[in-house]
Every structure is written in C-alpha cells, then in structure tokens.
Amino acid sequence: MNSKRLALFVSGKGSNAINLYDYFKDDSEVNVSLILTNNPHSPIIDFAKKNGIPLILLSNKEVGQAEILLEVCAKYEITHVVLAGYLRLIPKVFIDYYERKIINIHPALLPKFGGKGMYGMNVHEAVIESGDTLSGISIHLVDSNYDEGQPLATFYCTVENGDTAEKLSIKVQQLEHQYYPFVVKNSLF
Ligand code: GRF
C-alpha cells in the first residue's frame, strides 16, 4: 500500500485530531502530515508544535478559498483530508479535487440531526428534545452539501431518561475517540 498522507482540519478543541495523531503515529502506511486550523485559540496549535506536526493557521477568509487550501495541501503532498471538528464550509473546487478522499464525523445520527446549524451542543440539544432513545456518531465522505456525503459507518449509544445534552456529548465523544481512527484507516482509498 502506498503511504497515505493525512491533513486534519480542526476548528475546536481538537480532541479527535489528537486521538487520530496518536493512533497513526506508529503506522507505517498512514501519516498525519499536516494539521490545519482556522481557530487561533485551539489547543491543537500547541499540540502540533510540541509533536513536530506541520501546522497551518488560516483565517476564515483564507479557508474559503479553494486555491489556498489546494496550495497548502499540495505543499505537504496530502492524499486525504480528515475533518475533526471542522466548522467551515469547504469550497466545492477543493471537494472535487479530493473527491471521495475527505472524511467527516458528525456527533449524531444522520440524516435526521444534520444540516446547517447542527454542530456542537445544538446537535445534542436537538436529540434530547426529539425524545429519541438512540444517538451516536455518523462517519461519512464529504460532498458539497452539509452532512450529506456517502455514509461510511455509524455507531450508536443510548439516550437515557434524564440525560442532558452535556451528558450525551460525553457519551458521543467517547464513541468518536473509540471508532473514528479505525474507520479512517479502513476508508483511505
Ligand atoms: C466532535 O463532536 C465532532 O463530531 C464534531 O465536532 C466535535 C469536535 O470535537 N464534528 P473535538 O474538537 O475533536 O474535541
């Protein structure tokens, strides 16, 4: 197998990115070759510096420009992009270039709890309000519509009576950390 060079895109605290990096750090076939963030306050910046991972911080304006993203990814010879809590819309030209090579994780069951505005605690609050007794994570390929690319894997957790959005987010994040790297590893075509 040819070596895969991943770029991790991060907007938040970066726990999934850290988990992915740890999972792949001794992998002979998959390398985390770049971390890209649009959040100057993300703890992932320190993590990348401490671990010697190439890091690029771009403004929200810059990440909206396909040619900038393409140039950065070309420079680091990126073969696949893994979104790890990335909150900006990715330009269509970039998605087309990396067709079927961009993977996202969504912290609820799609398609019901996806789409615009469905991120962070909003998602967990919507699940609790719905009265559904199952939530989980949806891992999927990215296309140019929010949360609508081809599903790769779904993992479930129960929503118990009395669960708050906060409690549910902890259960969901545990699933993310447990399964995202494994699914990524098996979806790098
Ligand atoms: C995760 O819940 C992920 O599913 C969603 O954003 C969150 C990011 O968490 N897309 P972290 O920044 O990786 O801790």
Side-chain angles (χ1 to χ4, degrees):
M1 180 171 155
N2 289 331
S3 152
K4 312 289 189 207
R5 294 176 58 81
L6 308 187
L8 310 183
F9 284 19
V10 178
S11 297
K13 64 182 195 290
S15 73
N16 278 286
I18 292 170
N19 187 49
L20 285 157
Y21 175 77
D22 286 342
Y23 182 90
F24 287 119
K25 69 175 183 284
D26 299 319
D27 193 303
S28 57
E29 294 164 345
V30 182
N31 187 263
V32 172
S33 306
L34 174 67
I35 293 181
L36 182 148
T37 184
N38 63 318
N39 178 358
H41 308 295
S42 175
I44 201 65
I45 295 177
D46 261 1
F47 180 83
K49 284 183 186 159
K50 283 197 185 109
N51 289 279
I53 312 162
L55 173 94
I56 299 279
L57 170 64
L58 295 177
S59 68
N60 287 340
K61 192 173 172 206
E62 287 168 322
V63 295
Q65 295 174 46
E67 54 288 8
I68 293 181
L69 294 182
L70 286 171
E71 194 182 314
V72 168
C73 287
K75 178 169 171 205
Y76 291 94
E77 298 175 29
I78 298 305
T79 61
H80 295 76
V81 175
V82 179
L83 307 184
Y86 185 69
L87 294 177
R88 306 299 297 186
L89 194 62
I90 299 180
K92 186 174 178 328
V93 172
F94 185 86
I95 292 174
D96 289 346
Y97 185 85
Y98 280 102
E99 193 185 358
R100 301 186 64 80
K101 293 182 190 305
I102 308 178
I103 301 171
N104 185 37
I105 188 164
H106 185 76
L109 302 178
L110 292 174
K112 187 168 177 189
F113 296 101
K116 213 164 179 178
M118 280 296 184
Y119 61 87
M121 278 298 154
N122 296 350
V123 183
H124 304 299
E125 278 158 13
V127 173
I128 299 279
E129 268 166 36
S130 74
D132 285 5
T133 53
L134 278 182
S135 190
I137 58 173
S138 308
I139 302 171
H140 61 94
L141 294 176
V142 170
D143 69 17
S144 34
N145 297 318
Y146 281 102
D147 301 327
E148 283 181 16
Q150 182 189 316
L152 295 171
T154 306
F155 297 92
Y156 299 90
C157 62
T158 56
V159 184
E160 308 290 342
N161 267 340
D163 270 359
T164 57
E166 190 74 34
K167 269 193 188 164
L168 183 56
S169 74
I170 293 168
K171 284 193 227 177
V172 167
Q173 188 115 74
Q174 279 167 354
L175 285 181
E176 295 185 332
H177 293 167
Q178 191 174 354
Y179 294 113
Y180 198 24
F182 170 81
V183 174
V184 167
K185 167 90 179 165
N186 288 286
S187 307
L188 300 174
F189 304 114

